[in-house]
Amino acid sequence: MKLSKSTIGIIAAVVIICMWAASAYNSMVGEQEKATTAFANVQSAYQRRADLIPNLVEVVKGYAAHEKETLESVVNARAKATQMTIDPSNMTPEKMKEFQQAQGELGAALGRLLAVQENYPDLKANENFRDLQVQLEGTENRINEARNTYNGVVQNYNIVIRKFPKNLLAGLFGFDTMNKFEADAGAEKAPQVKF
């Protein structure tokens, strides 16, 4: 059976379109995986911070027993932040905001805890406290870097799935845009330093 030139042309066009669709699909999967991995790295950095907090609280507790309210707020904020779980596959703007708020509350509580050292010269000089403080500062930098990396990867992913003609395939195969981390509430106000 001999095929006509038009039939061969149609078959060739279908093959080319299928090859392009497979390539486009695979590139969207790759970008999505980069974004979910970057989000897992953010969660890992937050977990590191949560793991350091009990040690810091115990060191401070020994020196500042009557700072009970501050210590309890850190413990409660840590519990709330570690109970809040979010999955990149079903991340909504509301869940993202709730996750960021829980992490922001923990950061604020940690800031208050670290400020306690000003009232306790012995605590400030304690080697365990200093080591934990340095580790927490490093962890906060890691969190910031992980969030920035995540935002960059999500930007690339969102661009890939929103550009024509891949946006047609993205809609067909359920690739949705992902949310980025935003600044914490109140971050636009510079802190006041008073001496």
Side-chain angles (χ1 to χ4, degrees), residues 70-195:
T70 303
L71 294 169
E72 285 177 355
S73 72
V74 170
V75 171
N76 292 336
R78 178 188 179 271
K80 182 178 178 183
T82 55
Q83 287 175 355
M84 173 65 197
T85 57
I86 189 168
D87 182 352
S89 66
N90 64 358
M91 189 184 317
T92 64
E94 295 80 24
K95 285 183 180 180
M96 187 71 153
K97 186 171 244 164
E98 189 179 331
F99 180 77
Q100 281 187 245
Q101 184 178 4
Q103 294 299 333
E105 288 173 12
L106 179 55
L110 264 177
R112 289 190 300 278
L113 179 64
L114 292 175
V116 164
Q117 72 169 318
E118 297 302 321
N119 297 327
Y120 301 93
D122 291 340
L123 175 60
K124 193 186 267 189
N126 180 283
E127 189 176 319
N128 290 334
F129 181 83
R130 283 196 324 257
D131 290 347
L132 287 166
Q133 188 176 14
V134 166
Q135 286 187 42
L136 277 170
E137 288 169 358
T139 299
E140 292 301 319
N141 289 336
R142 288 179 185 177
I143 289 169
N144 186 51
E145 186 59 35
R147 284 174 58 148
N148 288 341
T149 300
Y150 171 79
N151 283 348
V153 172
V154 165
Q155 178 182 357
N156 291 340
Y157 166 75
N158 288 344
I159 288 169
V160 166
I161 68 166
R162 291 179 60 211
K163 278 186 169 180
F164 181 81
K166 286 185 182 177
N167 65 338
L168 302 173
L169 286 177
L172 182 66
F173 290 111
F175 287 94
D176 295 320
T177 58
M178 296 178 77
N179 298 306
K180 297 177 187 173
F181 278 100
E182 298 174 359
D184 294 331
E188 70 279 357
K189 298 176 188 168
Q192 289 185 333
V193 179
K194 294 181 182 179
F195 294 100

